[in-house]
Amino acid sequence: MSTLVIVGTQWGDEGKGKVTDLFAENYDIIARYQGGSNAGHTVVIGDDSYIFHLLPSGILHEAKICLIGNGVVLDPEILFVEIENLRKHGIDISKRLFIDYKAHLIMPYHKIIDETLEEDENSRKIGTTKSGNGPAYADKICRSGIRVCDLIHAESLSVKLDILLKQKSNYLMSNYCINLDKKHIDDIKERYLHYGKLLKNFAVDGSLFLNEQIKKRKNIIFEGAQGTMLDIDHGTYPYVTSSNPIAGSVCIGCGISPIYIDKVVGIVKAYATRVGEGPFPTELKDSIGQQLRDVGYEYEYDPETGRPRRCGWLDTVIVKYANRINGIKEIVLTKLDVLNSFKKIQVCREYKINNEIYQHYPADSELIPFIEPVYEEMDGWEEDISLVRDFKKLPDNAKKYITRIEELTESIVSIVSVGPKRDQTIFRN
Ligand code: GDP
Ligand code: IMO
Ligand code: MG
């Protein structure tokens, strides 16, 4: 039996989807432990590209079991679109997708609240995905959430919805003059009672299921969403997501003991990106940032909202921080090919704050605006590495970049990704 946590070390979008799909071949079960449809994990197989918001990224492997853990906030509307999209590609998940009874639901009013807060001139703009993720977690903590187990009992659900929909409609009216009229409320009730019938087929006690599989010595991947710097406790608060993407969250979000976590692998993009507001010490607002965005296809998954990702050089201070918090000793370095055309590459080694050198990411957020990244300049390789499959065949300057990342982050780069496809991967050993 072995278990593996796949965790983002930066601000999300490091390539967790590609890596999870890659590793899934050697595992039996792939479980998501937090986040919701704010995540967008891309898996590219041949000419097909899949973006998973809720389904674990191992789902494309026939016969692999996928679990959505209790720590996830589930938007049933998005879930069933994803399932339908797979069905159109001839992929049947009906006997191998399980969802924890205790997972909370994202309700339509959560999306309205998320959107309204983002657009409210008097509240702080976070740049959220407007997916209702934050308000759903807020309701969970306030003990007024609806869970999968509530949804599958039609009679009690109807009573709970009557009370909650009234509360939410009063809240929206008194705070934002938004009227959830009777038709809207009846429509929500009808749709969710329908989702309840559908979800019944997938609902399990996730903790019991996983612990039984662990006893049977099955191999399990826990797939994180977002990244360490978006963690509600350890990230760049308040510019964070509303859950804990870090590895420690696996136990809470799946109901397993820490003694069953064997290994944590950190996913590191070879440069840095961030979507939405908040601190980003190595951000480049110039033509180099634009070049990274264009070459790396750094636009958000949703072609309609299509937000550009902010881009910058690799910050090893935050990767070292993520390694400490998650217990990462091994890194998968992704998107190294995006740096192919750069003559010179900068890597942030440490920070200078008010003329003092900091080797560690400061916990005091008052210091963050004063961070000046201290860079080391390295020579680029200026050749295409997307066809390289053997570490030894990488250009010397690419190897030097990798070695320097290992030194600065005190960890080992065991896999290098040189393109979005499964085979565009270099296994070091
Ligand atoms: P995730 O949220 O961490 O799963 O990452 P996303 O899927 O949101 O973003 C990563 C993007 O980079 C996707 O479009 C991937 O297909 C793509 N990608 C992943 N690895 C590589 C790589 O090594 N090279 C290139 N060029 N693209 C990659
Ligand atoms: P994956 O799993 C990148 C960001 C949003 C915003 C902040 C809060 O694909 O790496 P939220 O909607 O969660 O309340 O937004 O977090 N964010 C992500 N950025 N990748 C993600 O997921 C993200 N999920 C949320 O842009 O800044
Ligand atoms: Mg993503």
Side-chain angles (χ1 to χ4, degrees), residues 215-328:
K215 266 195 203 145
K216 290 183 191 161
R217 312 200 59 74
K218 297 285 184 190
N219 299 324
I220 306 170
I221 293 179
F222 297 101
E223 177 186 7
Q226 290 82 48
T228 304
M229 299 311 282
L230 288 172
D231 187 278
I232 184 88
D233 285 272
H234 299 283
T236 48
Y237 190 89
Y239 300 99
V240 289
T241 192
S242 300
S243 68
N244 293 102
I246 61 165
S249 171
V250 167
C251 302
I252 295 163
C254 279
I256 65 146
S257 160
I259 61 171
Y260 294 129
I261 294 182
D262 294 325
K263 188 170 164 183
V264 183
V265 165
I267 315 303
V268 182
K269 201 180 270 195
Y271 48 103
T273 62
R274 170 163 208 166
V275 207
E277 308 299 313
F280 182 179
T282 60
E283 180 173 14
L284 295 163
K285 292 184 175 160
D286 56 10
S287 60
I288 299 176
Q290 189 58 41
Q291 194 181 345
L292 284 168
R293 187 154 42 246
D294 291 342
V295 183
Y297 286 102
E298 294 298 358
Y299 293 88
E300 280 240 272
Y301 41 80
D302 179 356
E304 308 224 343
T305 51
R307 295 190 296 177
R309 291 174 182 155
R310 297 156 64 193
C311 294
W313 295 120
L314 178 64
D315 180 344
T316 63
V317 179
I318 69 154
V319 177
K320 200 164 71 171
Y321 175 73
N323 287 355
R324 160 159 54 93
I325 286 173
N326 294 289
I328 296 165

Side-chain angles (χ1 to χ4, degrees), residues 11-13 16 38-41 127-129 225-226 230 240-241 275 307:
W11 285 277
D13 301 329
K16 299 176 292 295
N38 51 351
H41 295 182
T128 75
T129 55
Q226 290 82 48
L230 288 172
V240 289
T241 192
V275 207
R307 295 190 296 177

